[in-house]
Amino acid sequence: MVRELEYRLTPLWDGRKIPGMQVNIREDAPEIKKGGKLFTILENLIRYPFTCPREEIVVEDEKGEVPVMFEQEEKFLTRSQAAYVLRDTKGSVSLSYTCHFHEATGNPPYDMGYEGSGANGTGTAFLPEFTADRYRIRLLWDMSKLPEGWEAVTTYGEGGIDIEEASSALLYCYYYIGKICREEKENFGFYWYENPLFDGEAIGKWTMGLYEKMAGFFGDEGKTFRIFMRGNDRGQMNGMALPRSFILLYERDKKYGIDDFAGLPEGLLEEYDRDNYSWHNHMLTTLPHEMVHVWTTVPDEPFGNMTWFVEGTAEYYGLLLPYRFGLMSVKDALTVLNLRALRYYENPFADSDDYEPMQRAFGDSELMRVHYGRGFFYLTAVNRDIRRASENKLCLDDLVMKILECQKSGIEVTNELWNRELSAMLGCDSRPAYEDMRRGRLFVPDGTFLGDNIKVKETEGKTRREHRTCTVFQFTGEEKV
Ligand SMILES: [Zn+2]
């Protein structure tokens, strides 16, 4: 019998914005002995703290208040506080507290903040994690304090949630509250707040079309999928994927049309300036990348171990699929390819070893991005090798599908598994080339995943920051074959 967890969330209203939310949680009879762990709150995930001071969490059971003691736990990138009960609990245990929101942040949006008159973010900022592997979870909204017609949507859909999962499912879930506009079809939804500068309806429809085709490619079983728009004034245009959903950050004061999704601005490649380089992203590259994460994300522990696969496949299919589906021109595809080549091969860390600790990557966007280009270009080369070895009968799709099948059937996706399956397809040991990639040694990428007409040639470049001479690759080719 799985235990029950019932959540009641009451967003508050101060006449202008949603300053916070009242949270009430009831755990069905956990019967925890004195000294046992009741729950954990993520005090600091990446950099955003839990939005309620832990002393303000009131814990009660049938006998009244349950005294708890907090103890700090540290894991990579996160610091949490575990609550231990100081007496045996009796019957159901309830938690109640009020979280206080701040203004919604930029990337990564692991926070819960107000945005205009709405509020949105992830459960990591305001919900605790309980100790059992599985619960019957019910989440109810009390919208009585908000203006008429306001709603709440989560990764799981509109209104309440009723699932059987670990309680962490509610932490890695997106919450969107306010006056919500939407483009929906069955289990797909695209959400934004009213009166944006962008054309929500047209963009929502375009996104839905891309989603349907991608879901077909990855053999999705029609589970829910939701995209939430969050504006920012920091000039950020990127996103963060959570299970079955992602947050797309856009520049609030910029006018986005459907053209920004269906095409790239002119002269993008010519604008690349290694001395004044910043990671500027575009809808057409960001959105498909985040979408692919829903299907190809595998556990990446310790962090950095599988990042090349997670980000590499998102980059690879985030470019290949829109192109294959006719949603991206060959010209734009080549621009993306050439920009990525400059981003990766001129990255001052392009020759850095993957086995170095990843901790410092969070302070340096160049180091953080190394895995994207490394994984991506390695996969383009693997695709070439598989096609050669199989005389064009197989390609990277066959290998990735096989890996994802393994994941579905409960086999852990590891680098070992990758090399075993790849070696079998190639008929030779794939490890030397794989190790070269992980060690940051130079390898030749390939453009034929977009068509046999795409040629690659070696040129000379200079690394950013240090201006060391380095090898860069350039892609050319015109019509689609
Ligand atoms: Zn990504």
Side-chain angles (χ1 to χ4, degrees):
M1 251 298 267
V2 290
R3 279 212 299 276
E4 281 183 24
L5 270 176
E6 195 180 273
Y7 296 71
R8 184 173 291 271
L9 304 179
T10 313
L12 305 173
W13 180 244
D14 71 2
R16 271 185 326 113
K17 62 176 190 305
I18 299 174
M21 188 152 68
Q22 218 169 292
V23 181
N24 295 87
I25 308 168
R26 193 182 56 79
E27 184 179 6
D28 190 27
E31 307 296 350
I32 297 169
K33 293 274 170 247
K34 180 180 172 182
K37 194 197 277 192
L38 179 61
F39 64 89
T40 311
I41 53 172
L42 280 170
E43 201 177 43
N44 216 335
L45 178 66
I46 303 181
R47 57 178 173 266
Y48 307 115
F50 197 78
T51 55
C52 169
R54 59 176 188 270
E55 319 70 72
E56 288 179 19
I57 300 175
V58 177
V59 184
E60 288 169 306
D61 67 359
E62 275 178 18
K63 294 205 292 205
E65 185 153 349
V66 181
V68 295
M69 187 189 79
F70 285 92
E71 217 163 83
Q72 188 162 305
E73 289 178 351
E74 298 251 11
K75 239 172 108 184
F76 180 64
L77 292 175
T78 62
R79 191 173 67 228
S80 27
Q81 293 285 342
Y84 295 88
V85 296
L86 298 176
R87 65 160 168 82
D88 295 0
T89 67
K90 178 141 175 50
S92 293
V93 172
S94 70
L95 267 61
S96 43
Y97 53 94
T98 302
C99 2
H100 311 280
F101 301 161
H102 51 80
E103 195 171 353
T105 66
N107 216 23
Y110 272 125
D111 67 329
M112 186 74 194
Y114 51 82
E115 181 189 344
S117 56
N120 61 76
T122 56
T124 50
F126 68 96
L127 291 177
E129 189 171 342
F130 293 91
T131 54
D133 291 340
R134 231 175 157 69
Y135 289 97
R136 174 76 195 276
I137 294 173
R138 284 199 189 83
L139 184 143
L140 307 160
W141 291 96
D142 176 352
M143 306 296 277
S144 62
K145 296 203 169 23
L146 295 182
E148 188 75 30
W150 287 35
E151 296 169 278
V153 181
T154 71
T155 297
Y156 295 93
E158 282 169 43
I161 297 176
D162 191 341
I163 50 172
E164 211 179 290
E165 281 282 357
S167 66
S168 60
L170 290 191
L171 270 64
Y172 299 95
C173 169
Y174 208 54
Y175 297 79
Y176 208 69
I177 311 165
K179 190 136 200 256
I180 299 170
C181 307
R182 71 200 67 213
E183 199 57 52
E184 280 174 330
K185 189 177 168 189
E186 288 150 21
N187 273 332
F188 174 91
F190 181 87
Y191 305 89
W192 69 96
Y193 293 126
E194 61 175 357
N195 302 325
L197 286 177
F198 60 84
D199 185 349
E201 243 167 78
I203 290 166
K205 283 202 169 74
W206 187 89
T207 309
M208 192 189 296
L210 175 63
Y211 175 75
E212 280 176 347
K213 290 196 172 79
M214 275 200 183
F217 174 80
F218 286 108
D220 193 84
E221 299 121 352
K223 289 190 196 150
T224 76
F225 185 76
R226 290 183 163 78
I227 301 169
F228 302 95
M229 297 291 278
R230 175 188 272 200
N232 73 89
D233 302 322
R234 297 171 177 80
Q236 283 188 338
M237 169 61 256
N238 43 31
M240 184 178 86
L242 290 177
R244 311 303 308 179
S245 58
F246 70 83
I247 301 148
L248 194 61
L249 289 130
Y250 68 96
E251 296 168 60
R252 215 190 319 268
D253 54 1
K254 204 182 142 195
K255 233 182 164 125
Y256 292 102
I258 188 66
D259 293 353
D260 291 296
F261 287 73
L264 294 174
E266 279 298 319
L268 202 58
L269 199 56
E270 293 71 34
E271 273 173 28
Y272 170 81
D273 169 3
R274 78 168 66 85
D275 292 318
N276 294 298
Y277 192 62
S278 65
W279 299 108
H280 202 77
N281 290 307
H282 293 272
M283 290 285 192
L284 182 57
T285 52
T286 302
L287 195 124
H289 170 107
E290 297 301 332
M291 216 178 250
V292 172
H293 275 315
V294 172
W295 298 286
T296 68
T297 297
V298 300
D300 186 10
E301 279 178 14
F303 184 64
N305 190 36
M306 294 300 291
T307 316
W308 72 267
F309 179 86
V310 174
E311 298 303 343
T313 50
E315 288 283 82
Y316 185 88
Y317 288 106
L319 171 59
L320 173 60
L321 295 181
Y323 179 68
R324 194 184 276 173
F325 301 150
L327 295 166
M328 189 191 263
S329 67
V330 66
K331 188 164 164 278
D332 282 351
L334 275 169
T335 300
V336 174
L337 208 48
N338 282 312
L339 255 180
R340 283 186 188 170
L342 290 166
R343 280 180 165 189
Y344 179 62
Y345 290 99
E346 291 200 341
N347 188 310
F349 299 104
D351 57 359
S352 74
D353 196 313
D354 250 15
Y355 299 109
E356 275 181 35
M358 274 290 285
Q359 258 89 349
R360 56 197 187 103
F362 279 85
D364 194 320
S365 63
E366 291 277 22
L367 187 55
M368 188 80 202
R369 296 295 300 199
V370 160
H371 302 270
Y372 290 62
R374 186 169 289 179
F376 169 61
F377 286 117
Y378 167 69
L379 291 175
T380 66
V382 169
N383 177 66
R384 172 199 60 207
D385 297 346
I386 294 175
R387 288 183 64 198
R388 270 186 199 153
S390 67
E391 289 168 345
N392 282 332
K393 286 189 195 72
L394 300 172
C395 68
L396 183 70
D397 295 359
D398 299 285
L399 176 60
V400 170
M401 289 304 165
K402 188 145 198 200
I403 298 288
L404 297 179
E405 280 303 320
C406 287
Q407 162 141 296
K408 263 187 213 157
S409 60
I411 298 167
E412 194 190 349
V413 176
T414 58
N415 290 305
E416 238 334 278
L417 176 76
W418 168 264
N419 278 308
R420 203 164 53 232
E421 294 296 339
L422 175 56
S423 298
M425 265 187 192
L426 295 178
C428 66
D429 190 4
S430 65
R431 281 169 196 86
Y434 161 84
E435 279 298 328
D436 277 355
M437 179 270 291
R438 296 301 302 265
R439 299 270 176 209
R441 293 188 195 116
L442 188 74
F443 58 89
V444 182
D446 188 72
T448 58
F449 69 111
L450 292 174
D452 286 334
N453 56 322
I454 309 286
K455 307 277 178 249
V456 62
K457 75 166 189 234
E458 200 178 305
T459 63
E460 202 182 277
K462 284 209 175 344
T463 59
R464 291 187 292 276
R465 290 184 192 167
E466 296 150 359
H467 292 199
R468 279 179 286 131
T469 300
C470 63
T471 303
V472 178
F473 294 91
Q474 213 175 51
F475 297 88
T476 52
E478 274 313 315
E479 282 142 64
K480 194 169 178 173
V481 173

